[in-house]
Every structure is written in C-alpha cells, then in structure tokens.
Amino acid sequence: MGERRTEAGRGFPWRGRTPACAGVVLGAAVTYGTAAALPARALPAPPAPYAFAREARAVDGATGTTDAVRLDPGHLYRSALPVGARRYYRLDLDATADAYVSVTAVPRAGARVTSSDGFKVSLQDADGTTCSSGTAHFGPTQSPHPIAAWASRETGPGTYGCKGAGAYYVVVERRDPTAVLPTGWDLELDYVSEPAVRRAGSTAPSGGWSAGSPAPVLGEAAPRVGGAGFATASALGQGVWRDAIRPGQTLFYKVPVDWGQQLSATAEMSSSGSGDGYVGTALALSLYNPVRAHVEDAGAGYGGAQSSAALEPLPPVDYANRRAVGSRAGGMRFAGWYYLAVHLGAPVADRFGGGPFGLTLRVRIGGTPVSGPVYAGRSAPREVFEVTAADRREASAGAAAGTARGGGFDGSAPLVRAGAGGGTAGDTRALAMLAAGGIGTGSALLLWLGVWTAAARRRARRRWAG
C-alpha cells in the first residue's frame, strides 16, 4: 500500500487547513523596517534548554532494521539523529492495538535552521510498506526550537494494511540535509499503545458542533510559568494565564480535555517599549494531543504592538474523529492532556531586544464530559486517554500556585514541573518568589517538596503501571 499521511508539514498557519500542501512550507520569516532583512544565520542558544523526561531511556537508533532496538509501549526514550542520517527503531505489535510514536527533535545549541529544515517519521511493516508518516519543519520563524512529528499503526475499521501482528519499524530521517552548517539533533521518542474497543460505535465523526470562534475568556490573568518540554509542561485549566517569554524560547503547557469537550486557546504577546520594524512570523502556537501528535498551528507577526495567535475552532473530543479528514479534526480523537507549545522566534531579538515579553494565554474548555469508548484492554501508559480527578485538581491548582508566586517572571528559566524531571534553576526561582510573597523560605521549601513529591509519585505510577 502507498503512504498514508497523518500530519501535514510544519508551516504556519497552513498546516491542517490545506492537506494538499502537506510536507511543504511556503512561508519564510519576513521583516520590514530600517534594517535589511537578514538571512538564516547562527543564533544564540535558547534561553533555556529543552527539558527531556528524566525517566526517558537512552537508546541508539540503528542504521538498518536488523539491529533496530525494540521500544516498549508506555515508555519514553532519548536518542539522537546525526546529520544526513536515518535511524531505525523496532516495535513488536499484536493485531489489535493501535500504536502511536511521536518524535520530538531538538536542535543543539548554536544550530542554524531554515523554514524548510525538518524531519520525517515513518512507521513501516516488515515488507517496507509505510503504514503512516508525519513531517515537521521549523517554519517561517526560521528559529531553532523543539519540533515534533508522529506516525501510527491503526487496526480499526476504515484502515488498510499494516494490521497484522509482527515487527514494525520507526524510521526517523532529516528532510533538509543540505542546510547551512547542519548539526546533529537530540530526539525524544514517546510510544503509546491504544487497545481496541469492546463495542464498535459510529466510525463517522459526529457533526452538529459549532465551528464558530468561541467567546474569548476574560478576567484577570493568573501567573503561570511554562515548562521547557512536554514532560515538564505546566498544567492549565480554563482561564486567563500570564507568563513571560524570550526570543528563541519555547514554553509548554498542558490542558485536560475530556470526551465530549471542546478546547480553544489564544496566545497574546505584549507590546514592546523599544525597537522598530516588523517580523512576519514571530509568535507560534502549536497544539498536540495526548500522544504528542500535532493537531493545529497558529502564528502571528510582530511589529512592536500587541499581537495574538488563536487556534482555529476544533471539534469536541470524539473517538470517531480519527476518521475525519485532516490533522486538525483527526487529532481530537482522545481524552487526556493536550499540549500547548508557544515559541517566540529568535529574529524578534534583532528588532525589539531580548525581552522578556509578556505572554497571555486564554484557554477555554467547553462542553460537558461524556462517556468515552469502552476499551478491551489497558492503554500504555495507563490512564493516558482519561481525565482523572487528580488531573483536574492539578489544572485547578495552577491558579492558586501562580497567585502565590506573584509577578515579575523571568521567562529565561522556565519552572520545571514535577513528574518527569528533578529540580532546576526554575525550582529555586519559584522558592524565592514564594519567600518574597511573605512565606518563609523554610516553609516554602517544605511546601514545594511536598507538592513535588506527591506529583512525581502520582505521575510515575500512571506512566509505569501496567
């Protein structure tokens, strides 16, 4: 069988809206002003490195299928992709479960990238048939930052080929090996297994939902410090949240969205007190679902005045959405944590300085939760396709925790959340903010350690149980 695309190329804002252009990036960073536009060039290291999951297992990708190391469902892995290379990993699949593999590529410090530079992930069977593939590109920001692509093997009705039990292979390869001064990238691989359902419902996506833009969420913004990776994403509930971001930085947040609920999100960048000119694509907002599969992108230019990027209206979460056309609707197929990644292009620093710039997130979770599918087995990791009471408490606690820390955020050192990593400079900064807010350092330390330990134990049980 031929290749079946599951994700369009990483461009802003076309991906998800123009399937025929999948894998092709047409845009480029556009700047206007007193200074001439600059070509892609060496950029300083991002203000904070990507936070890889601490529990991620280090593996070497093989140069061929014979030596490909096996990945186990429910686990995270850390690997690398050398310049101009192709790397293989093996999955041993049965004939019933769906398998999803997401790969996050992280350029190393000092890397140069162009809008078309990126990588491809494919899932192939033992005969070389491509079950599905996905691509990701750095897009018009022309700024090195974490990008993610995914591939899957699905066995349900309406799928063709790749249904048998056996060895399958994840193939990761660069898409632009001729980039100027290319460097190797670090990789984080996430492998999630979804069991078959006991009772097959409708295979057609549900209709009748409103495709109009929802009313914006208003009110005072509560402070919230974004994480530096998927594993350390900060939990958000419905509301208005504020943070700070520097050029070249990517901040990660996660939102619990249950079956039948509808997510909308907008990222707003504050005005600048200095600088001039215009950056064509400065602010990039990306949405990923619980298996880190891309759903939607939004982008906005920046000329010194406040600017915003809003996700296009998304359907309510429904198991049958997997049969929808396009990644935007098809990605809304699971309940669980949805991830928002906000990136500010490095070229903004050339025009408006290094920041930090104020960032506001408006998040709405509409609809009443409904019963999801009845699975015939357990997912790996467990509860990945559920929204638990603990998840809701974690998201709701964000407002209280953010208020306690107060303002004055420095986006150059995002707070690393418990659950996948350990203490960082962000933890120390959070303690300092707590102390400044009137809580003694000793009490703040005990409070922080208690929250850190409880969250870490809960997430460890959820990811590794099974």
Side-chain angles (χ1 to χ4, degrees):
M1 299 294 293
E3 177 176 312
R4 177 167 57 84
R5 308 294 288 186
T6 60
E7 178 185 0
R10 190 179 184 84
F12 301 100
W14 308 285
R15 185 170 65 179
R17 284 195 260 171
T18 312
C21 295
V24 179
V25 176
L26 302 177
V30 179
T31 58
Y32 304 96
T34 56
L38 298 175
R41 56 185 175 79
L43 298 170
Y50 181 82
F52 288 90
R54 175 162 291 184
E55 73 267 28
R57 302 175 178 179
V59 296
D60 292 326
T63 57
T65 56
T66 302
D67 299 321
V69 64
R70 187 189 72 194
L71 307 183
D72 295 322
H75 296 287
L76 291 161
Y77 296 87
R78 183 168 179 174
S79 191
L81 184 63
V83 175
R86 180 180 296 172
R87 289 293 182 261
Y88 293 83
Y89 310 85
R90 190 179 88 246
L91 310 182
D92 290 342
L93 304 181
D94 61 22
T96 60
D98 291 347
Y100 301 91
V101 177
S102 174
V103 179
T104 303
V106 183
R108 293 166 184 163
R112 292 184 181 185
V113 302
T114 63
S115 59
S116 61
D117 197 3
F119 74 107
K120 177 180 180 180
V121 179
S122 304
L123 190 55
Q124 301 175 352
D125 66 13
D127 294 321
T129 300
T130 297
C131 308
S132 73
S133 67
T135 58
H137 299 83
F138 293 101
T141 62
Q142 294 190 12
S143 177
H145 62 283
I147 56 176
W150 66 290
S152 66
R153 192 289 298 264
E154 301 177 45
T155 63
T159 59
Y160 306 93
C162 294
K163 289 191 174 186
Y168 289 76
Y169 298 94
V170 178
V171 187
V172 184
E173 56 189 310
R174 287 283 292 267
R175 299 297 290 166
D176 189 9
T178 62
V180 179
L181 293 180
T183 60
W185 296 344
D186 293 315
L187 303 177
E188 186 172 65
L189 295 88
D190 186 20
Y191 171 22
V192 176
S193 178
E194 181 189 28
V197 294
R198 291 187 184 277
R199 294 190 301 271
S202 172
T203 58
S206 57
W209 60 278
S210 174
S213 298
V217 180
L218 302 177
E220 295 299 320
R224 193 60 161 152
V225 181
F230 283 104
T232 60
S234 296
L236 303 179
Q238 178 168 297
V240 186
W241 309 87
R242 63 184 176 92
D243 202 343
I245 189 169
R246 293 181 181 275
Q249 187 175 23
T250 304
L251 298 175
F252 289 80
Y253 310 86
K254 61 181 183 178
V255 182
V257 188
D258 213 337
W259 299 103
Q261 292 191 307
Q262 194 171 7
L263 173 66
S264 62
T266 300
E268 301 173 359
M269 181 179 171
S270 69
S271 56
S272 173
S274 62
D276 63 359
Y278 187 79
V279 181
T281 302
L283 186 66
L285 172 64
S286 299
L287 175 66
Y288 299 88
N289 68 20
V291 300
R292 303 187 185 182
H294 172 262
V295 178
E296 172 71 329
D297 282 323
Y302 189 68
Q306 61 273 17
S307 183
S308 67
L311 298 176
E312 290 290 319
L314 298 162
V317 173
D318 188 338
Y319 183 87
N321 283 340
R322 63 195 61 211
R323 307 300 169 224
V325 176
S327 63
R328 184 161 61 89
M332 305 300 293
R333 65 179 69 185
F334 315 110
W337 289 110
Y338 279 74
Y339 298 90
L340 295 170
V342 182
H343 177 69
L344 184 60
V348 171
D350 297 334
R351 303 270 177 193
F352 303 99
F357 297 86
L359 176 67
T360 301
L361 290 171
R362 300 183 187 274
V363 177
R364 178 179 294 279
I365 308 172
T368 302
V370 299
S371 297
V374 179
Y375 287 112
R378 294 188 303 189
S379 65
R382 296 183 65 178
E383 299 181 341
V384 67
F385 303 127
E386 302 176 28
V387 174
T388 66
D391 295 336
R392 293 190 178 93
R393 286 195 298 270
E394 184 180 357
S396 298
T403 302
R405 288 198 301 273
F409 294 110
D410 178 2
S412 64
L415 175 64
V416 175
R417 299 296 173 185
T424 67
D427 300 319
T428 304
R429 182 163 54 89
L431 288 173
M433 290 181 178
L434 283 167
I439 300 177
T441 303
S443 299
L445 178 60
L446 291 174
L447 174 62
W448 179 256
L449 289 176
V451 173
W452 191 97
T453 303
R457 287 176 177 172
R458 182 175 70 249
R459 291 195 186 177
R461 286 196 302 268
R462 288 170 58 188
R463 176 161 284 278
W464 298 104

